[in-house]
Amino acid sequence: MSLYSKVRATCHECGSGHLVRDEKVGEIICHGCGLVIQDTIIDNGPEWRAFTPEERESKRRTGPRTSLSMYDKGFSTSIFTKGDLYGKKISSSERYKMLRLRRMSVRTSLRKSVERNLFQAMIVLNRLCEKLKIPRGLHESAALIYRKMLGKGLVRGRSIAAVAAASLYLALRRANVPRTLKEISDASSRNKKEVSRCYRLVLWELGYKTPIDDPIQYVSKIGSNAGIDQEAQMRALELLRKARKMGITVGKDPSGMAAAALYISSIELGEKVTQGRLAEAANVTEVTIRNRYKGLLRDMELKWD
DNA sequence: TAAGATAAGAGGGACAT
DNA sequence: ATGTCAGTCTTATCTTA
């Protein structure tokens, strides 16, 4: 590493652009006229050298930089009650005072952090609901679920956006609104995996029960997306009701199931529809539709007319 | 061009360790 | 808590009608 580095400036004496910073003696020198421009450079780097990450860690004396993403910008207060800074014992009355102080400090900072978290979360949830055109009431129930999570201290260590998305998904599921987890996570900044982890956590920790996700709910949504007519949609519903009675819908992706039923009934009614179009409308792959509709035909012993 | 077939890979549930 | 297993879905590629 060179001890000299160029400086982007011109010398005010000779006009030369040849200014050089000499790290070793802490001066900026003009190579044109020899003038010392500045002799008190502040070195922002560490004065020690380290060759391994471990060494760097052991030599550093500063903490991480402050961050706006932390509710207290990374600064927090610690109040010790066992002794003074040097480990010397303190009197019992002093100690009692310190205990009280610490309690107060912990309480107020905790409340602040909860408030800030909620503030952020509500912004995130608003954006999410707006994007997905969620009705007011469901938006509210999602917010309530989030508050419960926050109240139980379950958001700590998890992403606000993921928990917010999971709360929304739960609200939708409880209201039997046919939105998939994928739709929610796609609109969120977190991925499906993360959101579904949080979703399971909410279910578990808050003891929520949801009605099973029934393919029947997706029929009209997928049907209209793919431009399937009413008659075929009715036929698909019938098909799915039978399938549900036979218990062959459990464990399958409801969207895929509904799309397959729509495919069968459309073909039966002589309507021109491709697997590709339905796959796109249902947000599943063609392969899934194929597997589902093959399965439906087999298990229900249906035949093409 | 649509549909079918096949295979690899991921993620989650059930169950055992 | 971690590992394994069967079953599901996705992605990609190739073949068939």
Side-chain angles (χ1 to χ4, degrees):
Chain A
M1 193 179 71
S2 165
L3 289 173
Y4 295 90
S5 58
K6 283 213 165 184
V7 176
R8 255 180 214 286
T10 47
C11 174
H12 56 260
E13 275 297 314
C14 66
S16 149
H18 244 88
L19 298 189
V20 160
R21 181 197 300 270
D22 184 342
E23 305 283 358
K24 202 171 177 187
V25 295
E27 287 174 345
I28 291 178
I29 304 154
C30 172
H31 270 203
C33 59
L35 180 72
V36 175
I37 312 280
Q38 185 186 343
D39 59 6
T40 51
I41 299 174
I42 296 172
D43 185 352
N44 288 313
E47 81 289 2
W48 40 264
R49 297 211 291 167
F51 300 98
T52 64
E54 292 77 27
E55 203 178 345
R56 200 169 295 127
E57 209 43 57
S58 70
K59 285 186 174 175
R60 71 184 310 161
R61 283 176 241 102
T62 51
R65 60 194 170 144
T66 64
S67 160
L68 284 175
S69 65
M70 296 165 75
Y71 74 92
D72 60 356
K73 297 196 188 67
F75 288 112
S76 54
T77 311
S78 302
I79 297 175
F80 301 97
T81 57
K82 292 271 190 296
D84 65 16
L85 268 180
Y86 309 103
K88 220 167 72 186
K89 290 270 190 234
I90 51 178
S91 73
S92 65
S93 69
E94 280 293 300
R95 179 151 176 235
Y96 181 64
K97 204 161 111 193
M98 286 304 156
L99 270 168
R100 262 176 31 227
L101 273 174
R102 181 166 74 169
R103 228 174 358 241
M104 282 159 67
S105 164
V106 166
R107 265 185 210 153
T108 57
S109 62
L110 195 68
R111 191 165 66 226
K112 265 192 206 153
S113 103
V114 164
E115 278 166 9
R116 279 171 190 273
N117 183 304
L118 196 58
F119 184 73
Q120 267 309 115
M122 291 306 114
I123 293 174
V124 171
L125 190 60
N126 269 327
R127 260 210 304 271
L128 203 55
C129 288
E130 205 166 298
K131 220 169 173 177
L132 292 165
K133 307 262 188 294
I134 303 296
R136 192 74 219 151
L138 289 169
H139 182 165
E140 292 294 318
S141 17
L144 181 62
I145 292 166
Y146 187 93
R147 277 169 197 271
K148 286 188 182 169
M149 286 295 280
L150 191 57
K152 279 201 150 198
L154 295 169
V155 185
R156 271 214 178 169
R158 274 172 259 271
S159 122
I160 290 177
V163 178
S167 304
L168 177 59
Y169 182 59
L170 177 60
L172 295 172
R173 283 292 300 273
R174 285 172 61 76
N176 272 327
V177 177
R179 289 300 189 88
T180 62
L181 184 59
K182 189 171 182 305
E183 285 178 88
I184 312 295
S185 59
D186 281 352
S188 150
S189 59
R190 319 304 301 190
N191 58 34
K192 189 180 157 197
K193 189 172 148 192
E194 240 177 311
V195 177
S196 86
R197 279 225 176 93
C198 291
Y199 174 65
R200 280 193 296 279
L201 183 80
V202 184
L203 277 186
W204 177 250
E205 292 289 345
L206 264 44
Y208 278 111
K209 290 269 181 293
T210 60
I212 48 148
D213 206 4
D214 196 319
I216 284 175
Q217 298 176 327
Y218 289 88
V219 167
S220 86
K221 178 179 164 191
I222 296 169
S224 65
N225 273 351
I228 309 292
D229 69 35
Q230 288 301 313
E231 203 191 342
Q233 289 191 24
M234 297 311 259
R235 176 86 188 95
L237 289 175
E238 210 179 297
L239 214 67
L240 287 174
R241 270 194 284 270
K242 257 192 256 175
R244 188 176 53 186
K245 264 201 198 111
M246 298 170 65
I248 53 178
T249 57
V250 289
K252 316 277 199 301
D253 177 4
S255 292
M257 207 69 202
L262 280 163
Y263 181 68
I264 292 175
S265 46
S266 294
I267 301 294
E268 271 181 355
L269 295 169
E271 204 180 327
K272 252 295 175 227
V273 65
T274 66
Q275 297 175 355
R277 199 160 99 223
L278 275 167
E280 202 185 336
N283 241 312
V284 296
T285 62
E286 298 177 43
V287 179
T288 300
I289 293 186
R290 282 198 272 275
N291 292 337
R292 288 290 74 75
Y293 103 80
K294 287 280 184 198
L296 274 175
L297 290 181
R298 175 168 32 80
D299 296 337
M300 302 180 72
E301 290 169 347
L302 284 171
K303 301 254 182 306
W304 296 110
D305 293 330

